[in-house]
Amino acid sequence: MSNTQLWITIAMLALGTSLTRFLPFLLFPAGKSAPQSIRYLGRVLPAAAIGMLVVYCLKGTDLTGPAHGIPELVASACVIALHLWKRNTLLSILCGTVVYMLLVQLVF
Amino acid sequence: MQTRSGVRAALAAAFPHTIPIMAGFLFMGTAFGVYMNLSGFSPVYGILMSVFVFSGTAQFIGVSLLIGAFDPVGALVLMLMTGARHLFYGLAMLDRYSESGWKKPYLIFAMCDETFSINCTVDPPQTVDRSWFMFFVSLLDQLYWIAGTIIGSLFGSLLPFDAEGLDFVMTALILVLFLEQLKKEKNYLSAGIGVAVSVLCLVLFGADRFLLPAMVAILLLLFLFRPQLEKGGAVQ
């Protein structure tokens, strides 16, 4: 690609990504109250969307590979258990990540 | 709240929530910079992308697009499809972002997965202005990402640290935010739908194609179970 073509492609990446982020706000501008069904979605979607994001984060887990997804499972369980116990965000994330790194670097 | 001390208080309140993202984004941003570097691009292009695109998924896919043949329309369509999950975030944040004045366009622009999750889940202390709080979460996150990109593009090949597995910090963060979101919910129906449908679609359609069908199915089920979700008062 020429430099101009690189610039245009990057502009398309920015445009496409921004469109998906701005679209709901353009369709339902503040001031004009959104339809009831959209406001309902605004209330119930956060939990479903973050739930979906959890799966999205773990989508690369390879259950058939040599590790059988054990590092992801153990580290996730570690995060959840620790967070339910101590409810300290940084501690939960730190321990989960260290456990995961140790498992993928040293064990599997 | 427009006073300088009010702004500083918002920054101070926002920063601790972004610490996991600092670790994650410095790492992922560096990985992206290295990837761009190894693909033969000058650091300018990677940095441009981190400033104007600011999406890990989009940018990593973007590198393969930049290497390939020139196809701007294809690039746009691919971004719309992989970015479609942002539509969910926007709908969820319509109210929250509505009263943030001049910060609103930036808040929407910078709404990556992690920033959305924090701004959606975390309530700042009552004394702190929410729009400034969300603004600083967004800005700090993007600065980490840009800093990582710069480090990776310039020095990536010199880094000696074995960081394999550090990317799990993002998964851990989202898991924690998910638990926090559950604490706010009166019933777990919506969260359960989100997880169950996504897992099902992941199995059915594979890792690269599950998001769109999952989103459609989640929307349908949320409307199907509207009586239960409204009656149970799923949300405060």
Side-chain angles (χ1 to χ4, degrees):
Chain A
M1 275 195 223
S2 69
N3 278 350
T4 315
Q5 290 176 329
L6 285 178
W7 282 83
I8 292 173
T9 305
I10 292 177
M12 288 296 132
L13 300 178
L15 177 68
T17 304
S18 280
L19 268 178
T20 58
R21 288 176 180 165
F22 276 93
L23 198 61
F25 296 90
L26 297 176
L27 290 177
F28 308 107
K32 273 204 290 181
S33 74
Q36 276 298 323
S37 54
I38 296 303
R39 295 173 62 189
Y40 162 72
L41 272 187
R43 289 196 303 276
V44 296
L45 252 184
I50 299 179
M52 181 181 83
L53 203 48
V54 170
V55 180
Y56 182 72
C57 283
L58 291 166
K59 71 178 169 148
T61 307
D62 184 5
L63 294 177
T64 54
H68 298 291
I70 292 169
E72 283 82 359
L73 186 71
V74 173
S76 301
C78 191
V79 172
I80 294 169
L82 203 54
H83 198 69
L84 293 178
W85 180 32
K86 293 282 186 189
R87 209 180 170 187
N88 178 330
T89 300
L90 287 180
L91 185 73
S92 314
I93 294 171
L94 181 72
C95 291
T97 307
V98 168
V99 165
Y100 184 78
M101 289 177 77
L102 290 175
L103 286 174
V104 294
Q105 287 187 19
L106 302 178
V107 182
F108 293 100
Chain B
M1 263 314 168
Q2 298 293 347
T3 61
R4 192 170 291 180
S5 64
V7 173
R8 210 175 293 149
L11 176 60
F15 174 68
H17 294 284
T18 68
I19 291 175
I21 301 190
M22 178 170 18
F25 275 16
L26 281 176
F27 170 65
M28 299 289 283
T30 303
F32 170 71
V34 172
Y35 188 25
M36 282 294 279
N37 186 338
L38 292 178
S39 308
F41 295 107
S42 116
V44 178
Y45 293 108
I47 295 165
L48 264 177
M49 285 164 80
S50 290
V51 172
F52 291 107
V53 183
F54 187 37
S55 158
T57 314
Q59 289 178 229
F60 275 100
I61 296 172
V63 180
S64 55
L65 294 175
L66 292 175
I67 297 170
F70 181 57
D71 178 12
V73 177
L76 183 64
V77 171
L78 195 57
M79 287 303 109
L80 293 176
M81 287 170 58
T82 54
R85 64 189 188 285
H86 296 128
L87 298 172
F88 268 29
Y89 307 167
L91 289 173
M93 297 304 273
L94 277 176
D95 281 343
R96 230 168 236 226
Y97 281 169
S98 68
E99 282 160 19
S100 42
W102 59 267
K103 303 179 210 74
K104 186 176 173 184
Y106 178 71
L107 288 173
I108 299 171
F109 161 77
M111 190 171 52
C112 64
D113 301 327
E114 294 77 9
T115 300
F116 156 72
S117 307
I118 291 191
N119 281 342
C120 177
T121 312
V122 176
D123 293 312
Q126 297 249 310
T127 52
V128 169
D129 180 81
R130 183 185 279 272
S131 72
W132 276 106
F133 175 85
M134 297 190 299
F135 176 78
F136 281 123
V137 169
S138 311
L139 182 65
L140 287 170
D141 288 354
Q142 187 170 19
L143 290 179
Y144 304 145
W145 181 245
I146 294 171
T149 308
I150 294 173
I151 295 169
S153 329
L154 297 180
F155 318 107
S157 47
L158 305 173
L159 295 177
F161 173 58
D162 185 356
E164 189 195 354
L166 184 57
D167 54 332
F168 191 80
V169 74
M170 286 306 158
T171 308
L173 169 71
I174 301 296
L175 264 176
V176 165
L177 292 172
F178 183 60
L179 294 176
E180 290 294 319
Q181 182 67 37
L182 287 183
K183 288 222 166 79
K184 288 193 190 179
E185 306 270 319
K186 293 212 179 98
N187 71 50
Y188 298 155
L189 186 53
S190 171
I193 288 174
V195 173
V197 168
S198 303
V199 170
L200 188 67
C201 288
L202 179 61
V203 173
L204 287 178
F205 299 97
D208 294 331
R209 288 196 198 88
F210 83 98
L211 265 185
L212 283 180
M215 288 171 59
V216 173
I218 287 171
L219 284 183
L220 289 176
L221 285 174
L222 287 180
F223 279 115
L224 191 67
F225 286 104
R226 185 168 178 176
Q228 289 83 345
L229 280 162
E230 295 267 39
K231 194 178 68 186
V235 185
Q236 299 157 336

